[in-house]
């Protein structure tokens, strides 16, 4: 069925119908089920093996007053699963307590030392796990034979070759093909509650289960979509006091899946990463406002500390990677004296920057322990398993893993995993894809944006749709302190955050594609459609005039910084195919060179930090991971080359033609004075946000062309005569010679030589 027909049947916009079809939802019945999820559509419980035996055993324990202890995990999923089962069993009058292991003292999952702690602290006989235990074969045997526990296992992780010798409920073990299997640990606990007391009883816990479902990055389709959808309704109804207080402390307005993934879940995880996660259970079980307020403060403090640890670790890792051998970097494996609790978060950040699976390791208990994260299409657990001869332990799934090894095996493991990934996946698996779901052509109204929201909650398996806006002049202006930009495209307010340096390019006549998210926003009870820019992709190279403007602004930014030395380039290209960037400011020169040498050409910036051989025209941001930088034409200031490629040896092709071309527009000193007077007069009587707007206003008064005007403008900026923020302002300064600007001196020299 095509988008038009589906849209007509569902009474939705064809754009939204097209998004459904792209997700494989192609008929009316499937589309209605997706857009209007229902708990009635959950997998019937009789499809799951093992659930009846565990439910019956818990019923007997409740009836006979047996002591029950819940053994959970310290991450968000484990905390939520523990809370669901704890609250439910207490509501049934059970004699129940719980145990959450300490990440540093007890390690992950069910361990013998953790079981001994439980035995010391509890008189309970029946131990039930949540979110862990499926691979704890020896530990379960120890618990039952040596410590006297009767053990029940509920888990959602992949089973090993052997199973614990006890009742087990794990959806992956069910034999029915029509059963939904990729539940998280809290989802498993939720379905167990439903089996014991029915759907209405389990609905009370959908908010907690939704939190875990999004946090544990399980696919938000099928049963998980139902749980997340209704759980978010419950969260936004302010059903649970503790969760409401935490949400109100860090989220403005309605809570969505993005807020769970990037605000709520990280705060809950922070307690397990830097403190003891046990206290977080009270977020779901406590009702006293004062105690909850104190707990929220504690969670916020732990999260702030976790953020600082993560930032420091990421910065340290990025610094180490400046000396990394990227020639075989199919998988980044790096080691440092880092905090074990934030390795996974930092690894995810490195993945986002380099588009390579990443494993970060630290020393712990006399060996190296680490966490890994991957990219779509590359199964990191498979890669780790293939190199298990170098490991003492490992586990995880396709997107994430944990592992441990002897320190002396690190080098061998790094070589082995890179060779395996290269042989199995090939170069294409690591290429950056700029796929978009739809190109926006007509106006996007608030009603259309609300229909797009109907596809939420977004997450794993149901990603937020990505749109493209093709445009030329963007009409962007600075907002706030000048760091952010705002425009109006296709009827939507379009926002580009921290993009002040891109203002000239966004407003230029060059054809470009904006990759955006579309959402609804509300102000003064008025809804509007809003586009948030993810990235800007060139559709054609900018004009020489635009590149001149870029180089002048960049040079003014680097004015007064130390110069750097160039090595003469011999014209040869490194045969490794990785590690050298060829930089051009003249767009024709850059495109011609890329075509001759068979290299990819980028305008502004490559899509990742990975230092693959490429031509970059007018780099907007530093490229710190290249070992060699060849400047096909030299910048006006060598300090600019040092700033753009700070870790590279700088090579020059000896071409100054573009600098001479700019310098040909150099005005006289008296003309500089005329331009400055015109700028002061214009800024006194009007508000100008861009240099091009200012030039348009005073073109007749200053008597210079636009490039000459920009030479004056950016020289004044370098000398701090002007301030560029939300608007252009003249700054009162003492009289200063133009020669005080390195940019001015460089242009004067180029003018003489050219």
């Amino acid at each position: 069925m095509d988008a038009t027909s589906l849209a007509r049947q569902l009474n939705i916009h064809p754009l939204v119908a097209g998004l459904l079809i792209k997700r494989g939802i192609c008929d009316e019945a499937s589309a209605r089920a997706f857009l209007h999820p229902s708990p009635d559509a959950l997998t019937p419980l009789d499809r799951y093996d093992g659930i009846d035996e565990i439910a019956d055993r818990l019923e007997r324990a409740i009836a006979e007053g047996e002591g029950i202890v819940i053994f959970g995990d310290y991450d968000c999923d484990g905390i939520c699963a523990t809370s669901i089962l704890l609250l439910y069993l207490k509501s049934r009058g059970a004699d129940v307590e719980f145990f959450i292991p300490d990440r540093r003292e007890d390690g992950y999952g069910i361990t013998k030392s953790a079981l001994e702690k439980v035995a010391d602290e509890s008189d309970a006989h029946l131990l039930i796990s949540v979110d862990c235990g499926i691979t704890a074969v020896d530990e379960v045997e120890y618990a039952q034979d040596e410590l006297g526990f009767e053990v029940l296992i509920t888990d959602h992780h992949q089973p090993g070759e052997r199973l614990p010798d006890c009742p087990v409920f794990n959806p992956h073990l069910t034999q029915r093909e029509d059963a939904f299997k990729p539940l998280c640990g809290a989802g498993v606990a939720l379905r167990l509650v439903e089996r014991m007391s029915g759907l209405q009883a389990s609905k009370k816990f959908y908010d907690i289960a939704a939190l875990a479902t999004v946090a544990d990055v399980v696919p938000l389709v099928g049963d998980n979509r139902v749980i997340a959808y209704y759980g978010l309704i419950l969260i936004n109804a302010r059903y649970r006091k503790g969760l409401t207080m935490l949400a109100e402390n860090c989220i403005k307005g309605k809570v969505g899946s993005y807020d769970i993934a990037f605000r709520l879940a990280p705060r809950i995880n922070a307690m397990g990463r830097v403190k003891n996660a046990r206290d977080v259970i009270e977020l779901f079980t406590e009702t006293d406002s004062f105690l909850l307020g104190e707990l929220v403060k504690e969670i916020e403090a732990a999260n702030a500390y976790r953020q600082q640890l993560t930032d420091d670790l990421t910065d340290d890792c990025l610094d180490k990677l400046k000396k990394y051998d990227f020639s075989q970097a199919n998988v980044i494996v790096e080691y440092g004296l880092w905090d074990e609790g934030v390795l996974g978060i930092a690894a995810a950040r490195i993945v986002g920057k380099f588009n390579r699976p990443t494993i970060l390791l630290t020393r712990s208990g006399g060996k190296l322990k680490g966490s890994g994260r991957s990219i779509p299409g590359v199964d990191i657990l498979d890669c780790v398993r293939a190199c298990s001869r170098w490991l003492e332990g490992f586990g995880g799934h396709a997107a994430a893993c944990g592992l441990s090894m002897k320190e002396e095996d690190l080098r061998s493991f790094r070589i082995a995993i890179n060779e395996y990934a290269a042989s199995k996946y090939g170069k294409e698996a690591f290429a950056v894809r700029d796929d978009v779901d739809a190109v926006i052509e007509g106006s996007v109204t608030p009603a259309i944006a609300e229909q797009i929201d109907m596809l939420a909650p977004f997450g794993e398996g149901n990603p937020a749709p990505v749109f493209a806006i093709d445009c030329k002049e963007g009409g962007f202006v600075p907002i706030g302190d000048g760091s952010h930009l705002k425009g109006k495209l296709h009827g939507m307010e379009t926002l580009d955050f921290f993009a002040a340096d891109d203002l000239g390019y966004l407003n230029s006549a060059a054809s470009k594609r904006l990759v955006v998210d579309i959402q609804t926003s509300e102000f003064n009870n008025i809804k509007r459609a809003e586009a948030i820019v993810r990235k800007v992709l060139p559709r054609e190279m900018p004009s020489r005039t635009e590149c001149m403007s870029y180089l002048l602004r960049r040079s003014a930014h680097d004015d007064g910084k130390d110069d750097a030395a160039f090595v003469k380039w011999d014209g040869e290209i490194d045969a490794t195919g990785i590690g050298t960037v060829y930089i051009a400011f003249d767009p024709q020169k850059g495109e011609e060179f890329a075509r001759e040498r068979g290299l990819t050409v980028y305008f502004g910036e490559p899509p990742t930090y990975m230092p693959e051989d490429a031509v970059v025209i007018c780099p907007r941001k530093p490229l710190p991971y290249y070992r060699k930088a060849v400047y096909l034409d030299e910048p006006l200031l060598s300090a600019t080359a040092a700033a753009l490629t700070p870790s590279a040896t700088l090579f020059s092709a000896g071409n100054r033609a573009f600098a001479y071309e700019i310098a040909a527009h150099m005005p006289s000193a008296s003309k500089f004075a005329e331009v400055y007077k015109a700028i002061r007069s214009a800024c006194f009587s009007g508000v100008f946000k861009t240099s091009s707007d200012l030039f348009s206003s005073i073109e007749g008064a200053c008597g210079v062309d636009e490039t000459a005007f920009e030479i004056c403008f950016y020289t004044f900026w370098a000398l701090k005569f002007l301030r560029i923020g939300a608007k252009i302002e003249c700054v009162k300064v003492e009289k200063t010679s133009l020669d005080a600007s390195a940019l001015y001196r460089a242009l004067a020299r180029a003018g003489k030589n050219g």
Side-chain angles (χ1 to χ4, degrees):
M1 184 180 296
D2 62 25
T4 303
S5 300
L6 187 60
R8 190 181 303 113
Q9 289 181 347
L10 297 171
N11 194 28
I12 58 176
H13 194 275
L15 174 67
V16 182
L19 296 175
L20 288 168
I21 291 171
K22 192 159 187 178
R23 282 160 166 71
I25 304 165
C26 303
D27 62 87
E28 182 181 0
S30 298
R32 289 193 186 280
F34 184 85
L35 295 175
H36 307 287
S38 169
D40 294 333
L42 291 172
T43 297
L45 291 169
D46 60 9
R47 304 292 196 272
Y48 289 123
D49 297 332
I51 190 171
D52 289 343
E53 187 177 1
I54 288 181
D56 292 343
R57 182 63 186 91
L58 287 174
E59 288 288 1
R60 181 155 58 86
I62 295 169
E64 297 178 3
E66 288 183 69
I68 305 169
V69 60
I70 303 167
F71 191 111
D73 188 24
Y74 45 65
D75 70 355
C76 185
D77 188 20
I79 292 293
C80 290
T82 302
S83 299
I84 289 171
L85 201 53
L86 180 68
L87 285 164
Y88 169 70
L89 291 175
K90 280 190 172 182
S91 74
R92 293 284 307 277
D95 178 9
V96 60
E97 51 194 315
F98 69 94
F99 177 84
I100 302 292
D102 184 281
R103 178 188 287 266
R104 289 166 179 77
E105 292 181 6
D106 304 313
Y108 169 76
I110 298 178
T111 62
K112 291 181 180 180
S113 61
L115 288 168
E116 288 168 355
K117 278 188 180 180
V118 178
D120 288 341
E121 297 172 5
S122 172
D123 294 327
H125 166 68
L126 184 63
L127 184 147
I128 179 168
S129 77
V130 289
D131 191 35
C132 60
I134 193 63
T135 59
V137 177
D138 294 338
E139 290 79 6
V140 169
E141 182 180 355
Y142 178 73
Q144 296 189 140
D145 294 349
E146 302 297 328
L147 299 178
F149 287 112
E150 181 182 350
V151 179
L152 309 175
I153 297 292
T154 74
D155 199 357
H156 72 112
H157 294 96
Q158 288 290 342
E161 292 182 4
R162 295 170 57 210
L163 294 176
D165 186 16
C166 66
V168 175
F169 170 35
N170 183 323
H172 292 292
L173 293 173
T174 190
Q175 301 301 308
R176 296 288 296 263
E177 290 298 322
D178 57 348
F180 186 81
K181 297 179 182 179
L183 292 167
C184 67
V188 171
L190 184 78
R191 298 311 309 273
L192 178 60
V193 169
E194 184 183 344
R195 164 60 181 78
M196 295 178 70
S197 292
L199 183 60
Q200 287 305 119
S202 68
K203 281 182 177 180
K204 299 175 184 176
F205 306 110
Y206 269 42
D207 56 336
I208 307 176
L211 182 61
T213 298
V214 175
D216 217 51
V217 203
V218 291
L220 293 185
V221 297
D223 291 9
N224 286 335
R225 176 170 172 78
V226 173
I227 292 168
Y229 182 90
Y230 283 96
L232 280 165
I233 291 174
L234 210 55
I235 290 171
N236 285 299
R238 305 298 192 252
Y239 172 71
R240 203 169 305 275
K241 184 181 286 189
L243 190 53
T244 297
M245 290 176 68
L246 180 63
E248 289 177 344
N249 201 59
C250 61
I251 299 167
K252 292 182 179 179
K254 190 176 180 180
V255 178
S257 55
Y258 178 91
D259 300 301
I260 290 178
F262 295 99
R263 294 189 176 91
L264 294 177
R267 282 166 165 79
I268 292 170
N269 278 325
M271 292 290 281
R273 295 183 189 280
V274 303
K275 299 188 74 174
N276 192 310
R278 180 184 180 90
D279 292 345
V280 190
I281 297 289
E282 294 181 8
L283 189 70
F284 306 107
T285 60
E286 182 58 69
T287 57
D288 183 273
S289 296
F290 175 78
L291 294 177
L292 285 170
E294 294 300 303
L295 176 59
V296 168
K297 289 178 186 176
E298 189 178 356
I299 290 172
E300 289 291 348
N303 186 57
Y305 182 54
R306 188 271 308 168
Q307 285 178 319
Q308 188 60 57
L309 286 176
T310 306
D311 291 346
D312 292 346
L313 193 163
T314 304
D315 290 344
D316 188 38
C317 184
L318 289 172
D319 197 50
K320 285 176 178 288
L321 290 173
K322 290 174 184 175
K323 301 176 182 178
Y324 198 79
D325 179 10
F326 282 104
S327 62
Q328 301 297 322
N330 302 294
V331 180
I332 294 171
V333 181
E334 191 53 75
Y335 158 76
L337 297 178
W338 297 318
D339 188 285
E340 184 183 337
V342 294
L343 289 174
I345 307 172
R349 290 189 183 182
I350 301 300
V351 169
K353 294 181 183 297
F354 289 88
N355 199 52
R356 290 293 190 277
T358 298
I359 296 172
L360 301 183
L361 299 129
T362 192
R363 190 180 293 124
S364 176
K367 56 187 174 183
L368 299 187
K369 292 180 69 176
S371 291
R373 298 294 184 270
S374 195
I375 59 176
V378 177
D379 186 333
I380 196 167
L381 182 60
D382 169 60
C383 294
V384 166
R385 185 184 291 113
C387 307
S388 59
R389 61 173 293 198
W390 307 109
L391 302 176
E392 294 199 333
F394 66 92
H397 49 81
C401 71
L403 68 166
S404 61
M405 70 179 76
K406 294 177 182 176
E407 191 165 345
E408 57 264 31
D409 289 332
L410 173 59
R411 184 175 180 275
S412 298
F413 172 77
R414 180 185 283 134
I415 293 171
I417 197 168
N418 273 283
E419 289 179 348
Y420 178 80
S423 65
K424 175 154 187 180
Y425 294 102
K427 190 174 181 180
E428 276 303 305
F430 305 99
V432 178
R433 296 171 178 81
D434 289 318
D435 294 340
V436 298
D437 291 281
V439 178
I440 301 300
E441 294 178 347
S443 181
V444 177
T445 64
I448 296 172
E450 284 189 284
Q451 288 184 14
I452 293 170
D453 286 345
M454 290 173 65
L455 276 62
F458 301 120
E460 183 71 17
N462 183 41
V466 179
F467 302 94
I469 297 175
D470 293 331
C471 66
K472 290 191 174 182
E473 295 87 352
F476 283 87
V477 296
I479 57 173
D481 62 358
S483 302
H484 315 305
L485 306 177
K486 180 174 74 172
K488 189 85 170 180
L489 296 170
H490 291 284
M492 295 180 287
E493 185 170 278
T494 307
L495 301 171
D496 196 353
F497 295 106
F498 303 103
D501 289 345
D502 295 341
L503 180 61
Y505 179 60
L506 285 168
N507 287 339
S508 73
S511 178
K512 60 192 74 73
R513 167 164 286 187
L514 309 187
V515 180
V516 304
D517 297 318
I518 294 177
Q519 61 188 32
T520 54
S521 65
E522 189 170 336
F523 184 71
N524 288 336
N525 295 320
I526 298 174
K527 289 186 177 181
R528 61 187 178 191
E530 197 171 68
I532 308 297
V533 178
R534 285 190 179 192
K535 64 177 78 173
V536 181
L537 304 173
R539 305 292 281 177
E540 63 183 13
M541 285 300 142
S543 69
R544 298 174 73 78
T545 301
E546 289 156 0
C547 288
M548 287 179 187
S549 177
Y550 161 80
L551 186 52
L552 286 166
R553 180 184 177 95
R554 179 71 231 193
S555 302
H557 182 274
D558 299 320
D559 199 310
K561 297 179 181 176
D562 294 335
D563 281 351
F566 286 105
V567 178
K568 184 173 176 56
W569 183 51
D570 60 9
E572 295 297 317
I573 288 185
D574 194 332
T576 63
I578 192 165
T580 303
V581 61
Y582 301 86
I583 292 177
F585 299 101
D586 178 342
Q588 284 76 25
K589 179 78 174 177
E591 282 197 292
E592 180 183 308
F593 182 83
R595 191 164 46 249
E596 288 175 357
R597 305 298 181 99
L599 295 171
T600 303
V601 61
Y602 300 108
F603 174 70
E605 59 186 303
T608 74
Y609 284 11
M610 181 59 65
E612 295 172 307
D613 288 3
V615 175
V616 180
I617 298 174
C618 295
R620 292 200 294 263
K621 297 177 183 176
L623 306 166
Y625 297 97
Y626 282 97
R627 301 291 182 84
K628 292 170 63 176
V630 177
Y631 283 80
L632 301 176
D633 38 53
E634 288 188 23
L636 295 168
L637 303 177
S638 59
T640 294
L644 289 173
T645 48
S647 303
T649 303
L650 307 179
F651 293 85
S652 171
N655 179 24
R656 300 279 293 164
F658 200 61
Y660 297 154
E661 190 174 336
I662 297 174
H665 296 263
M666 180 80 159
S668 64
S670 60
K671 188 61 71 175
F672 265 88
E674 288 181 36
V675 172
Y676 185 66
K677 287 178 182 177
I679 290 174
R680 285 193 62 181
S681 176
C683 290
F684 180 78
S685 58
V687 175
F688 302 94
K689 295 178 179 288
T690 68
S691 61
S692 58
D693 289 343
L694 183 56
F695 175 69
S696 297
S697 174
I698 66 174
E699 183 176 1
C702 64
V704 295
D705 63 31
E706 187 163 6
T707 300
F709 168 79
E710 292 203 328
I711 289 173
C712 298
F713 181 87
Y714 287 116
T715 300
F716 297 147
W717 182 44
L719 291 169
K720 297 183 171 53
F721 292 179
L722 300 176
R723 182 185 297 121
I724 305 174
K727 63 178 180 178
I728 296 167
E729 299 176 273
C730 288
V731 180
K732 188 175 182 180
V733 293
E734 293 184 9
K735 190 173 182 180
T736 305
S737 169
L738 292 172
D739 282 326
S741 164
L743 170 59
Y744 180 84
R745 297 195 303 272
L747 286 165
R749 285 194 302 270
K752 291 177 183 177
N753 295 331

